[in-house]
Each structure stands twice: as structure tokens, then as C-alpha cells.
Amino acid sequence: MSDSAAICRSCAGSDLRLVLSLGKVALADRLLTDQTLSEPEPTYSLTVYFCSDCGLMQIAETVPPEVLFCNDYPYYSSFSPALLEHSHQNAEELIRTCSLGPDSLVVELASNDGYLLKNFVEHGIPVLGIDPADGPTRIAQENGVETLCTFFTEELAHRLRGEGRAADVVIANNVLAHVAGLNDFVRGIGALLKKNGTAVIEVPYVKDLVDNCEFDTIYHEHLCYFSVTALMALFARHSLSLNDIRQLTIHGGSLRLYVGHEVDVSPRVTSLIEEEVTEKIDQFAYYQDFSGRVTKIRESLLDLLSGLKREGKRIAAYGAAAKGATLINYVGIGKELIDFVVDRNIHKQGRYMPGKHLPIFAPERLVDEMPDYCLILAWNFADEIMEQQAEYVRRGGKFIVPVPQPRVLHNETASAG
Ligand code: JHZ
């Protein structure tokens, strides 16, 4: 692991200021098996900095990407129906607005199990997925989504271009934050994209992260936490123009960016930049009380869960999400507080959460065991999860969400979805 806190991942500036330290934690998506449970589990420090030069919040540590993503990566996008719907709508809109057809090419970086590209395939539009995770890419290929199981780099972009595979649309959702070679990756997007092509990129928005105290979305896979200000600087450095932008609710609050070679900047971009300047998101002061608010969440969540345990209540958790791993490990939620975790992803069931080793089962376990409370670790999908678990609620089960403040949801709220 390398510690790049000395210089910014984007602009190479050296004025990095400490925002938060989450201590030493196990890797968020490294689920354990019965075999690996007894082996020593490596932990890595997790420290967040703000770059005063380009305004990018980032972590210092770089765990080798091969360790994080290649072998046994358990995240399969297709287990979240809301994400599938979100992706379907995104694809349908791009097909219309970019007039895509059989002569077009859509390339997705971090295409996972083909959850998004399959929408283009259904319309007969040629696609290429690129993703380093072997399990998800195998599924994509089985489902007819042509996929290269590798990391995307500038070199690969030039190779594809050399083969005549320039892209009309490059999609990169929830991957810009994950790449260690940020500038190489963005140059690669520029190299792959046709002159009049569009790159459509989704990233979690740092404003939502800080405002709603979504500290659990900080883990070693997420190297960067973007503001529009920081993104503008990044794209401009590689002669790409951030032409349009949308704010989305997915993943606790995200930005969808429309980027191209041609400059055609929408007023939405300028007004969001102005907003960031007014709110001082481009300055360290904005991030200064974050650490204190995170500590408060830790204390109040521990108080809430320990209080319930003292009353003899049983508690489970929903969603073996990567963010769930940060939450339980940073807050210190072990088997003394939570009996088990449930998750629909069959690749996670039968395994154990990193660090605290809570066992993961299928969601049916919730109604079978009827714990009194269920902590929603995948709080970004809370509405959908509560809707699916209407039977648990009907039988008297109660949900808890950890952020922006730990709280028990009343049954009326829960059944209303
Ligand atoms: P989810 C992921 O993070 C992966 P995670 C990644 N690190 C990333 O960047 C962010 O998204 C943006 C399950 N589930 O998506 C599925 C149910 O069981 O919030 C998942 O295991 N039932 C690349 O892992 C987990 O919850 C359901 O009904 O923090 C959700 O994980 C639903 C909706 C989900 O993100």
C-alpha cells in the first residue's frame, strides 16, 4: 500500500489538509469465508484529506487495485432493482438524445455484470464493457454483453482506437473515484471518445456526503470524493469540457456529468459552481466540522444499539454493503450487538463481514428469526428494502437507519416505504 497524502491525486498540489481519520480498518469488500475466517485479516489506515489547490477531498492510502477489485469482488450491480431502473432510464435517454443505432459504439468503464449495457444490447446497439472483476464480467459475457476483463487505461484507449473502436458514448458510473491513476483514466476517456462523442459519468457528490454525514461511503475503494469545482479542474487539465450536469439521489446523492471534446457548457454547470463558491465547498473550512459530526454518529449509534441490547432486544442488519463494512468497523459494532446481516446478493451469502465477522444470510432470515430491530446498512436503498420487507414490519420488526443521524423508523414510516 502506498500513502500518497504528500501530493494531490488530481492536481499534484502539496497543500493537503487532514479532514478525518477512520483508523485502521479491513477492506470493505473483502468478505471472509469459513476457510479464511481463522486467517489473519489485514487492516489498513483510512485517512481523508482536502486539497487546498484544486478542492478535491481524497484518501491518502492506495491499496493496489488488483487486491481491491480483481479476485472474488463480491459487488454485482444487478442485485439492486432501483439501480437497474436508474440505469435503464439512463440508457433509454442516451439512445434518444445521442441518436444511437447499429453503427454506434457505447463503451462502459466498470461495466460490472452488464447491468447497464444490456439495455443498449436489447436495442441492437454495439457495446463494449471493461471491468477488472472476473466474477461480474463472466456474468456479463454469459448475458451477451461483450466485456474485457481488465483495467481501463489510456494505453487501452489508444489500442481500441487503433482497432477502429472509438466511442460515441463512454459511460463511467461509480468508477472515477476508484481509480488510482486518475489523470491517466481521464486522458483515456478523451482518447477513446469521438470528437462529437459524450462521456457520461456518475460520481457520488461530496456535498451530500459531508452535509448528510455519509462517512460510511469512505473506504479504500473510494480514493476521491468529488465537488464540481474539483471535477472542472480535472477535465480542463485534459482538454475536456464539463458541458452539463445533473444532481441525482442515487447512492446518497450523486452527480451525473456530461463531458465532451466540444465546448457547450450549460448554465446548470455554472450555477452549480457558483453555489459551491457561495457555500465554500472549495475551501477547507467546509470540511472542518465533519470529523466531529462523524464522532457524534458513532457515539449515538453505539448508545442506541447498546441501550436496545440492555433491554434484551435482538438486532440484525440489512445489506452487506461496502459502506456497511466501514460503519460496523469504525463504530465498533460486533456480534455483541448484531446477530447477523442479510443481503440478496447470493455471492455474499454464507460469508462474513470484514473486520467484525458478522455472518451474512439471505433476506428471508429476517422474517424467520424476527429480530426486534434491523439496522439498514444499505441506507441508500432504505425505501426499497423496507418495501420488500413489509412482512417483517407487519410482524412488529423495526428498522434503524444510521445516517444522517441514527434513528428508529416508526412502523408507519417503514410501511409507507
Ligand atoms: P450498495 C457499491 O457500494 C459498490 P456498496 C461500489 N463500491 C460503489 O462505488 C458504490 O456502490 C457506489 C444489497 N441489497 O449498492 C445489495 C439487498 O440485499 O448500497 C448490496 O450488497 N436488497 C462499487 O456496496 C447492498 O445491499 C436490496 O433490496 O456500499 C447494497 O450495496 C437492495 C436494494 C440491495 O453499495
Side-chain angles (χ1 to χ4, degrees), residues 29 73 75 79-83 174 178 204 219 221-222 251 318-324 342-345 348 363 378 380-381 384-385 388:
D29 268 321
Y73 189 55
Y75 178 75
F79 286 99
S80 301
L83 180 63
N174 295 301
H178 298 61
Y219 44 92
E221 285 169 44
H222 293 169
H251 294 306
Y318 196 116
K323 66 175 73 61
V342 296
D343 196 293
R344 287 173 56 163
N345 179 342
K348 295 186 176 180
N380 46 322
F381 293 120
E384 185 176 347
I385 287 168
Q388 285 163 18

Side-chain angles (χ1 to χ4, degrees), residues 22-334:
L22 290 166
K24 284 190 94 176
V25 289
L27 297 179
D29 268 321
R30 192 97 335 248
L31 304 180
L32 292 103
T33 62
D34 285 322
Q35 290 72 43
T36 56
L37 206 51
S38 53
E39 293 169 11
E41 191 181 10
T43 57
Y44 303 81
S45 48
L46 189 53
T47 329
V48 183
Y49 288 86
F50 174 80
C51 171
S52 305
D53 292 321
C54 74
L56 177 64
M57 189 168 105
Q58 54 199 284
I59 62 166
E61 299 78 11
T62 306
V63 175
E66 300 75 25
V67 174
L68 291 174
F69 302 112
C70 285
N71 186 14
D72 209 17
Y73 189 55
Y75 178 75
Y76 289 66
S77 306
S78 292
F79 286 99
S80 301
L83 180 63
L84 290 178
E85 182 49 31
H86 170 88
S87 310
H88 174 74
Q89 283 176 17
N90 186 10
E92 292 289 329
E93 191 185 317
L94 285 171
I95 292 169
R96 265 196 329 274
T97 54
C98 301
S99 310
L100 300 175
D103 296 328
S104 313
L105 176 65
V106 178
V107 179
E108 188 185 5
L109 317 179
S111 48
N112 198 269
D113 57 12
Y115 72 106
L116 194 154
L117 286 181
K118 68 176 185 183
N119 293 290
F120 297 96
V121 173
E122 278 164 17
H123 284 267
I125 298 165
V127 301
L128 177 66
I130 301 172
D131 194 296
D134 51 359
T137 52
R138 211 173 20 250
I139 303 263
Q141 272 149 350
E142 281 165 16
N143 292 334
V145 176
E146 186 190 342
T147 306
L148 296 177
C149 184
T150 187
F151 287 100
F152 177 72
T153 57
E154 187 187 5
E155 194 193 336
L156 177 58
H158 285 298
R159 204 163 76 221
L160 291 170
R161 241 199 126 129
E163 293 166 7
R165 301 183 94 180
D168 297 275
V169 172
V170 173
I171 301 176
N173 291 346
N174 295 301
V175 60
L176 200 61
H178 298 61
V179 291
L182 183 61
N183 286 294
D184 177 88
F185 190 88
V186 173
R187 272 197 306 274
I189 292 178
L192 188 59
L193 200 62
K194 285 185 185 166
K195 191 168 177 297
N196 60 350
T198 308
V200 186
I201 300 168
E202 288 182 20
V203 294
Y205 190 17
V206 73
K207 176 175 168 23
D208 293 309
L209 191 165
V210 173
D211 290 359
N212 303 325
C213 218
E214 299 165 358
F215 71 94
D216 50 351
T217 62
I218 298 170
Y219 44 92
H220 294 95
E221 285 169 44
H222 293 169
L223 304 168
C224 299
Y225 305 85
F226 293 103
S227 62
V228 184
T229 308
L231 287 161
M232 278 290 258
L234 171 64
F235 293 123
R237 195 175 306 124
H238 303 293
S239 307
L240 287 167
S241 175
L242 174 53
N243 286 331
D244 205 354
I245 204 157
R246 268 191 223 164
Q247 284 189 260
L248 311 167
T249 53
I250 193 114
H251 294 306
S254 298
L255 297 172
R256 181 182 291 156
L257 318 160
Y258 297 83
V259 175
H261 294 291
E262 291 170 353
V263 180
D264 180 17
V265 182
S266 134
R268 272 188 291 273
V269 176
T270 12
S271 81
L272 212 50
I273 294 264
E274 278 163 19
E275 227 175 83
E276 288 196 351
V277 172
T278 311
E279 296 191 32
K280 300 190 168 55
I281 292 171
D282 57 344
Q283 292 177 31
F284 179 63
Y286 187 77
Y287 303 82
Q288 250 173 327
D289 71 341
F290 184 51
S291 175
R293 290 192 285 125
V294 171
T295 307
K296 277 203 187 106
I297 291 193
R298 164 152 71 176
E299 287 163 1
S300 67
L301 185 55
L302 271 181
D303 278 356
L304 173 63
L305 299 178
S306 326
L308 291 172
K309 285 310 276 186
R310 280 196 298 276
E311 289 170 23
K313 305 293 187 198
R314 283 181 314 131
I315 313 171
Y318 196 116
K323 66 175 73 61
T326 298
L327 190 98
I328 60 170
N329 286 311
Y330 168 73
V331 174
I333 301 172

